[in-house]
Amino acid sequence: MSDEFGLVEPQEGEAFGDEWEEIDLSDSAADRIAKRKDRDFDEFRMRLKDADQFKVEQSVFDDATFAAIYKLVQDGYINAFGGPISTGKEANVFEALGGDEADVAVKIYRINASDFRHMRDYLEGDPRFQSIGHDKGQVVMAWVRKEYANLERAQRAGVRVPNPIAVERNVLVMELVGHADDRARRLSEVNVENPQTAFEVVREYMRRLYRAGLVHGDLSEYNLIIHEGELVVIDLGQAVTIHHPNAVSFLERDCRNVAKFFSRQGADADADQLFDFVTAEEEADDE
């Protein structure tokens, strides 16, 4: 693992306040395609169901999920599917060929298998989702749109995250960091040769997230990956605004997890000092 970790620069002139994107949870184009079920969509759905990488998902991918993939293909975001990169309790991630012939990651949340209560804990209190109902499908779709919005905001703040490309219903298309046969490794899987430098990059990214109005909420060595000497923050679906009622406790947990990992690696990392660094007022940095 390289001992060089370059920081991404924030976008010039970018300022963050309490403004938040309004996220539309009404029926999407994919829902309309699934309801219409014309011949082209039916043929596409059957081809996808017959594909080896999707056969095991037939019981948990509904017609609207296939319609979401169909819409992303129609819009040019996906040209061809590869194999699965990871399989989780709530989502599967597949390698795919994007519209510009670059490899992308397609994250597909499984509505019937997702942890509904876990998601609501993070959504409730977020000003973007004050009117969300109790429909499980709506909660999952809100989660996916929230992840897309969080990735955009983190990227603008100068935090290295996978570039978000498109979202449709419960399907998220984003940059594939590395390749399926040479995937980026989680920090938990590698020997960190320069843990102090890596820790300082991670704490700076945590501070930038906080100043952009976000707390990751599940940050640890399992949600930090390394590829070609670059640290990347992943899995921002659960990230909450700093005004979330549990934001402070989530941040304290993030600080404990990060400090504990890097301390084991030999870095000078303390959870309380990390919390103070992340939440310090911007003016204090220039003193």
Side-chain angles (χ1 to χ4, degrees):
M1 177 173 167
S2 170
D3 59 1
E4 297 296 328
F5 306 96
L7 283 168
V8 176
E9 290 300 319
Q11 292 187 11
E12 186 176 355
E14 186 66 56
F16 299 96
D18 291 337
E19 78 286 353
W20 288 99
E21 309 85 346
E22 183 176 336
I23 297 180
D24 183 11
L25 294 177
S26 59
D27 278 1
S28 69
D31 292 295
R32 292 189 289 273
I33 290 169
K35 290 174 182 176
R36 191 167 61 245
K37 289 186 178 179
D38 62 21
R39 185 172 64 182
D40 288 342
F41 168 62
D42 273 342
E43 290 176 355
F44 175 86
R45 180 170 55 89
M46 293 310 300
R47 286 202 310 272
L48 217 58
K49 283 190 172 184
D50 288 340
D52 289 339
Q53 63 266 53
F54 286 104
K55 282 182 179 177
V56 296
E57 302 299 340
Q58 290 188 29
S59 61
V60 290
F61 281 6
D62 60 9
D63 282 352
T65 297
F66 288 114
I69 300 170
Y70 178 73
K71 181 68 166 57
L72 289 164
V73 170
Q74 280 188 322
D75 291 345
Y77 294 113
I78 301 172
N79 278 343
F81 266 96
I85 297 172
S86 66
T87 302
K89 291 186 297 182
E90 296 173 346
N92 286 8
V93 182
F94 296 88
E95 182 183 26
L97 189 65
D100 57 358
E101 301 301 309
D103 290 335
V104 298
V106 180
K107 190 173 187 178
I108 305 175
Y109 279 88
R110 296 173 290 173
I111 289 177
N112 293 330
S114 294
D115 189 341
F116 175 79
R117 292 184 179 87
H118 165 74
M119 289 180 171
R120 285 202 62 87
D121 288 344
Y122 287 94
L123 290 173
E124 289 178 344
D126 189 315
R128 294 169 292 181
F129 301 98
Q130 289 178 346
S131 60
I132 189 170
H134 292 272
D135 179 80
K136 189 170 184 177
Q138 290 281 300
V139 171
V140 174
M141 285 186 282
W143 185 271
V144 180
R145 291 178 181 275
K146 176 172 178 271
E147 183 167 4
Y148 184 88
N150 288 343
L151 286 169
E152 285 190 316
R153 180 162 285 244
Q155 189 176 63
R156 294 199 306 271
V159 178
R160 180 64 175 98
V161 295
N163 178 44
I165 297 171
V167 63
E168 182 67 47
R169 200 173 181 270
N170 57 318
V171 183
L172 173 63
V173 182
M174 57 189 164
E175 170 193 3
L176 176 63
V177 181
H179 303 279
D181 56 354
D182 180 27
R183 68 178 178 86
R185 300 289 172 177
R186 299 176 189 271
L187 283 192
S188 61
E189 301 174 311
V190 301
N191 177 37
V192 184
E193 296 175 4
N194 194 334
Q196 190 64 42
T197 304
F199 169 65
E200 290 171 3
V201 171
V202 172
R203 73 173 188 168
E204 176 62 23
Y205 283 163
M206 292 175 69
R207 177 159 68 172
R208 291 180 182 182
L209 277 177
Y210 189 82
R211 288 181 175 173
L214 288 175
V215 171
H216 187 284
D218 192 28
L219 194 60
S220 71
E221 63 269 30
Y222 301 101
N223 287 326
L224 291 162
I225 61 175
I226 181 78
H227 184 68
E228 297 181 349
E230 187 175 44
L231 280 166
V232 185
V233 182
I234 61 171
D235 293 339
L236 272 79
Q238 75 293 315
V240 300
T241 78
I242 58 175
H243 303 298
H244 190 284
N246 296 323
V248 173
S249 61
F250 289 161
L251 179 57
E252 289 173 339
R253 184 178 62 191
D254 285 354
C255 290
R256 288 194 301 269
N257 289 339
V258 169
K260 183 178 179 180
F261 171 76
F262 281 106
S263 292
R264 291 200 309 266
Q265 297 292 317
D268 180 13
D270 175 81
D272 291 337
Q273 291 178 4
L274 177 56
F275 182 89
D276 290 342
F277 178 86
V278 170
T279 58
E281 293 291 336
E282 202 159 357
E283 293 77 12
D285 301 334
D286 300 325
E287 292 179 356

